[in-house]
């Protein structure tokens, strides 16, 4: 999956921030829900009902943070465009580290 595809997923999803709320329904036990509207007790869009609280926390944080992280990655890519083609020995170690991190992004989601 590319950054562009990830950005499109974010744009198509319900807007953030998403939050985790505890359910007060005894029939559902100790379940948490990921919701889109903090002011509507379960009245916002419920994205997930989860017994695993860590997964609920992750889903809410990912939806909230991903758009900003995509912007940072795209800005970094634009910044490195001018020196990315230079051989590594002509770049600073910071430039090499940034190029390597961006190259790892290209590998995410590949089979």
């Amino acid at each position: 999956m590319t950054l562009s595809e990830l950005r499109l997923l974010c744009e198509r999803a319900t807007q953030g921030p998403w939050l985790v709320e505890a359910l007060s329904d005894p029939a559902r036990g100790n379940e948490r829900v990921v919701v889109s509207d903090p002011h509507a007790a379960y009245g916002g869009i419920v994205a997930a009902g989860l017994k695993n609280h860590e997964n609920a926390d992750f889903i809410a944080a990912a939806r909230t943070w991903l758009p900003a992280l995509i912007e940072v990655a795209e800005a970094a890519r634009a910044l490195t465009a001018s020196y990315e083609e230079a051989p590594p020995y002509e770049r600073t170690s910071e430039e090499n580290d940034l190029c390597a991190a961006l190259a790892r992004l290209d590998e995410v989601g590949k089979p």
Side-chain angles (χ1 to χ4, degrees):
M1 177 174 290
T2 66
L3 282 177
S4 297
E5 292 167 332
L6 189 56
R7 177 183 286 285
L8 186 59
L9 282 177
C10 288
E11 290 170 356
R12 289 180 176 168
T14 302
Q15 293 298 305
W18 287 6
L19 303 165
V20 177
E21 292 185 1
L23 282 176
S24 57
D25 181 355
R28 293 183 73 173
N30 195 20
E31 193 168 326
R32 299 287 190 262
V33 291
V34 180
V35 297
S36 64
D37 184 354
H39 303 294
Y42 318 127
I45 294 174
V46 176
L50 302 163
K51 293 193 183 300
N52 183 311
H53 301 176
E54 290 79 13
N55 285 348
D57 292 342
F58 175 79
I59 291 167
R63 176 62 189 103
T64 301
W65 279 88
L66 264 177
L69 293 173
I70 292 167
E71 286 182 25
V72 169
E74 289 172 341
R77 201 157 290 218
L79 177 68
T80 62
S82 63
Y83 57 79
E84 205 166 31
E85 297 303 318
Y89 60 85
E90 290 182 5
R91 301 186 300 224
T92 67
S93 63
E94 291 83 4
E95 290 169 341
N96 282 326
D97 291 345
L98 186 53
C99 288
L102 290 170
R104 284 191 300 275
L105 277 181
D106 293 335
E107 298 303 313
V108 173
K110 286 187 178 177

